[in-house]
Amino acid sequence: MAGWLGTYDFLIVSMTLGAMLALSLYLPLMSGQLSLASPAFYAIGGYIAALLSTRVFAGLNPYPVPLVLGEMVLAAMVCGLVGWGLGVPVLRLRGIYFAIATIAFSEVLRILALNLEVTGGAIGIFGIPQPFSTPLGYLWLTLPLLMMVAIAIGRLEQTRAGKAMQAIRADELVAQTLGIDTTRYKVLGFVLGAILAGVAGVLAAHLLNTWNPRQGTFDTGVLALTAVLVGGNRTFVGAIAGGMLFTALPELLRGLADQPYWPAAVATFFRDGRLMLYGLLIILGTRFFPQGLCQAPNWRSLGGTIFKVKKIRSRHE
């Protein structure tokens, strides 16, 4: 067991961070808002940790855990304020227009990070100190945090605010006629998602030991959104499951590619064709699990597809 944990410790911690990043997208989705701004807040949190640990508190080895917690608090405050400042005007947009606005925000921050000297430009910031001697030590921070966030979201869904957000997701116009302040609750979900993404960015920066503009790109947002949609966008459990699955999937495919019994073409496909497999999983997931893997599958559709395949095969025979 110890040997297995020592081999996959980095992956296990990354799975918890992937689950938190997926939850940061799930929070705006609670009120029906398709946001792709989480990678931007994720990057902000990472840069806060990188700058504080390498410029302000440089030379501390091992890096004190209380300072990491302080960075998490600071990142939560900064991302919350930025999220509120962005959310108040932008959340008046709806549908695809809101999604485009969040993508633009992420791209603006990425361009700034590429050109600012303080962020290290395209090279980024290296040598971020470690609070733990092994990646497995990060579980003392990431796992309790993930559990607390999951419990908090579960409780939020049962409160008046959570019910209002679910009503907005179901039908915003009807929610307005019922007297629900839709802008207020949409901003609430957006800000909470920004805070969670920023905190995850702090932990990711220390875990990776480096931080650069590639950490908060549009691709990161798409993968997190895919995790939420495939895992289940109607429950936070689906976001957690999807985030862990899509974080572990590249390593699982790489492990399959290294098996000696595969032909060379199959091994190459497993190693280099991960994006195609992602696309295949999305297609299969949305076809047979339209509400996500953590929801009831569409067995009737699956049975009908199998019946059609058998019917076509019998005709050819």
Side-chain angles (χ1 to χ4, degrees):
M1 185 66 178
W4 184 85
L5 289 176
T7 303
Y8 296 101
D9 52 358
F10 186 88
L11 178 60
I12 294 171
V13 177
S14 298
M15 289 170 64
T16 59
L17 293 175
M20 281 191 278
L21 190 58
L23 285 173
S24 71
L25 267 74
Y26 173 78
L27 284 164
L29 278 174
M30 284 180 61
S31 57
Q33 301 305 304
L34 179 60
S35 171
L36 291 174
S38 288
F41 298 112
Y42 180 72
I44 290 174
Y47 277 115
I48 288 175
L51 292 172
L52 287 178
S53 60
T54 59
R55 308 283 175 84
V56 180
F57 303 108
L60 298 178
N61 190 22
Y63 196 70
V65 173
L67 288 181
V68 177
L69 297 177
E71 293 170 358
M72 292 165 61
V73 172
L74 180 60
M77 294 172 59
V78 172
C79 291
L81 289 174
V82 174
W84 179 81
L86 176 68
V88 170
V90 171
L91 280 167
R92 299 183 184 276
L93 301 173
R94 296 181 182 179
I96 190 64
Y97 301 103
F98 173 72
I100 291 173
T102 58
I103 294 172
F105 172 67
S106 299
E107 284 299 300
V108 167
L109 286 184
R110 186 182 68 85
I111 296 300
L112 286 175
L114 278 171
N115 292 277
L116 290 177
E117 184 178 352
V118 68
T119 59
I123 298 176
I125 301 174
F126 289 88
I128 300 174
Q130 302 290 317
F132 303 104
S133 57
T134 62
L136 197 62
Y138 282 89
L139 283 179
W140 292 104
L141 294 177
T142 60
L143 192 58
L145 179 61
L146 178 59
M147 294 174 64
M148 289 189 293
V149 169
I151 293 173
I153 294 177
R155 294 293 299 272
L156 174 63
E157 291 180 339
Q158 305 303 318
T159 63
R160 182 176 180 179
K163 298 296 184 183
M165 294 169 73
Q166 293 171 24
I168 296 170
R169 178 176 59 189
D171 195 313
E172 185 173 349
L173 293 177
V174 173
Q176 287 177 341
T177 61
L178 294 174
I180 297 175
D181 188 349
T182 57
T183 302
R184 174 187 176 187
Y185 289 110
K186 288 193 293 185
V187 170
L188 174 64
F190 188 75
V191 169
L192 291 177
I195 291 173
L196 181 57
V199 171
V202 169
L203 295 170
H206 283 284
L207 176 66
L208 296 174
N209 195 36
T210 181
W211 202 252
N212 56 62
R214 292 187 296 275
Q215 308 299 335
T217 61
F218 174 71
D219 293 343
T220 305
V222 171
L223 289 178
L225 180 61
T226 301
V228 176
L229 295 179
V230 174
N233 63 348
R234 298 286 177 171
T235 170
F236 67 92
V237 178
I240 295 174
M244 289 188 170
L245 172 64
F246 277 85
T247 303
L249 189 58
E251 294 301 323
L252 295 176
L253 294 176
R254 190 176 292 112
L256 284 175
D258 294 335
Q259 299 302 317
Y261 47 77
W262 292 117
V266 176
T268 302
F269 176 74
F270 280 137
R271 187 178 297 108
D272 302 331
R274 293 193 298 273
L275 292 179
M276 288 185 285
L277 289 174
Y278 279 162
L280 179 62
L281 284 175
I282 295 171
I283 294 172
L284 294 177
T286 54
R287 181 68 176 86
F288 301 117
F289 297 83
Q291 294 183 343
L293 294 174
C294 293
Q295 301 290 335
N298 191 352
W299 295 115
R300 181 178 298 179
S301 176
L302 179 59
T305 303
I306 295 174
F307 176 76
K308 290 177 182 178
V309 171
K310 289 183 177 179
K311 190 174 182 181
I312 293 172
R313 184 179 298 173
S314 63
R315 287 179 180 176
H316 285 286
E317 291 176 353

